[in-house]
Amino acid sequence: MSTTKPTEQIHPTNLPDASPDHFASALEALVNHSDGHTDVGQGIHTPKHDLLRVPWIHKLIPGIEKLAVAYHTGNYYIVRSTREPMFESMPIYARVGMHLLFYGRGRAKVLGTQTVEHLLREQSIKEGKIYDSPLSVKSIPSFVQTYKINTAELLQPDITAYKTFNEFFSRKLKPGTRPVDAAPDALCSAADSRLTVYTCADAAKKFWIKGKQFTIPALLNTPPSSPHSETFANASLAIFRLAPADYHRFHAPVDCTVREVVDVPGQYYTVNPQAVNEPGFDVFTANRRSILYLEHTGTGKPIAVVAIGALLVGSVVWTGGAQPGCVLKKGDELGYFAYGGSTVIAVFPEGTVGFDQDLIQNSEKPIETLVKVGERIGKIL
């Protein structure tokens, strides 16, 4: 990828000749294309900089091929082990979803009768059904190739053994592939992800979450005076963003006991950083999500793990976190996402955790840090 081009700051004025209906039709066409076409790199997961070699896509949106020539579209993150920046290209479906998110704020109609919210929900559910079909296994090889997935670390490395695309998407790893920091006070990463951490919600809003309606009560879907809201007032946050290529199971960050699960209905907006960083977008508190409340074994303090769905994410499934009263060790599986990029936010009561300094410094720049399940991200205080 050329380093001479600037990174696109997404805004509707970037594509003045493309109407909202162009983007709505493009999303429908991308989802329909994934049903029966096996090369995801030539369809729904085409990076925008590759659009010129996929003409059927750039014909859907007037001017997007010129934008692809002029700009990179995506996000930088820091590889923690090397401290080097890396660029993550945004797949075309996320770029389309981002544009629709700008347009959807006004509750305007697209394609004649649908709200943007209805369109995103409809297409997300449809994509989930497509990738639950046995025929979807034909897309697995191109997905592995597009994202350079290391199949040697999988519990089932034979990609022909999976019965559906979604079964592969929620693949398991071999035991020991992600070592868990054994120090008693270690706070561990819940997911293979790009991570930002903040000691309080106000810091998260200053550096990263720009949505004006973001609050801890709104995230937890509880009244401000409720016990949960009071417990997590001014909470510390660890925000784990899972990209499509990532291992999509998430794990306990500490030794804990499962207390309850609360499901919250909502939208299917993209959780790409450019959406999270945009004032006026409230993707974390608007999207459908499932909240798992845990109790830390050592201190008895509560922890909330918020699994947030996103554009084209089929579902959140709790496994180890499904049964109240279940005792889990640090690194034990909590659940997984079906198809799509998504986010997990771990919420800790004020003063109960301290994040590692390199993560704090990166988050305040702000830039995400690439982490793996089980590695230390801080300590329990």
Side-chain angles (χ1 to χ4, degrees), residues 128 131-133 136-137 140 154 156 158-172 248-249 336-339:
Y131 282 150
D132 276 336
S133 164
S136 64
V137 296
I140 296 174
L154 304 186
Q156 175 49 273
D158 179 4
I159 63 174
T160 66
Y162 293 91
K163 297 178 181 178
T164 67
F165 181 92
N166 256 338
E167 186 177 278
F168 175 78
F169 190 79
S170 58
R171 57 199 176 272
K172 294 183 178 182
H248 261 67
R249 291 176 182 260
Y336 65 86
F337 290 103
Y339 173 76

Side-chain angles (χ1 to χ4, degrees), residues 118-165:
H118 180 272
L119 173 72
L120 299 180
R121 181 182 300 109
E122 175 188 70
Q123 296 305 311
S124 296
I125 292 170
K126 183 176 182 179
E127 190 65 80
K129 291 179 179 178
I130 289 170
Y131 282 150
D132 276 336
S133 164
L135 295 176
S136 64
V137 296
K138 295 179 180 180
S139 294
I140 296 174
S142 67
F143 188 80
V144 171
Q145 182 179 14
T146 297
Y147 287 110
K148 299 178 175 59
I149 294 170
N150 179 12
T151 57
E153 66 180 14
L154 304 186
L155 183 62
Q156 175 49 273
D158 179 4
I159 63 174
T160 66
Y162 293 91
K163 297 178 181 178
T164 67
F165 181 92

Side-chain angles (χ1 to χ4, degrees), residues 63-91:
I64 200 166
E65 74 281 3
K66 297 178 182 177
L67 206 64
V69 171
Y71 294 97
H72 294 308
T73 299
N75 317 282
Y76 281 96
Y77 61 87
I78 297 294
V79 178
R80 194 179 192 189
S81 58
T82 64
R83 301 183 181 179
E84 293 295 321
M86 292 289 289
F87 189 79
E88 173 192 348
S89 293
M90 188 185 297

Side-chain angles (χ1 to χ4, degrees), residues 13-89:
T13 57
N14 296 2
L15 289 162
D17 296 328
S19 70
D21 279 356
H22 283 118
F23 281 91
S25 296
L27 182 61
E28 287 189 336
L30 287 164
V31 170
N32 289 336
H33 185 269
S34 67
D35 186 10
H37 293 80
T38 60
D39 188 351
V40 300
Q42 295 283 315
I44 202 163
H45 284 277
T46 303
K48 192 169 72 65
H49 64 266
D50 280 349
L51 283 182
L52 294 181
R53 65 182 183 86
V54 191
W56 80 267
I57 294 179
H58 66 69
K59 288 179 180 178
L60 296 171
I61 304 170
I64 200 166
E65 74 281 3
K66 297 178 182 177
L67 206 64
V69 171
Y71 294 97
H72 294 308
T73 299
N75 317 282
Y76 281 96
Y77 61 87
I78 297 294
V79 178
R80 194 179 192 189
S81 58
T82 64
R83 301 183 181 179
E84 293 295 321
M86 292 289 289
F87 189 79
E88 173 192 348
S89 293

Side-chain angles (χ1 to χ4, degrees), residues 344-358:
V344 174
I345 301 180
V347 187
F348 305 93
E350 183 180 13
T352 60
V353 298
F355 296 118
D356 286 348
Q357 194 60 34
D358 65 318

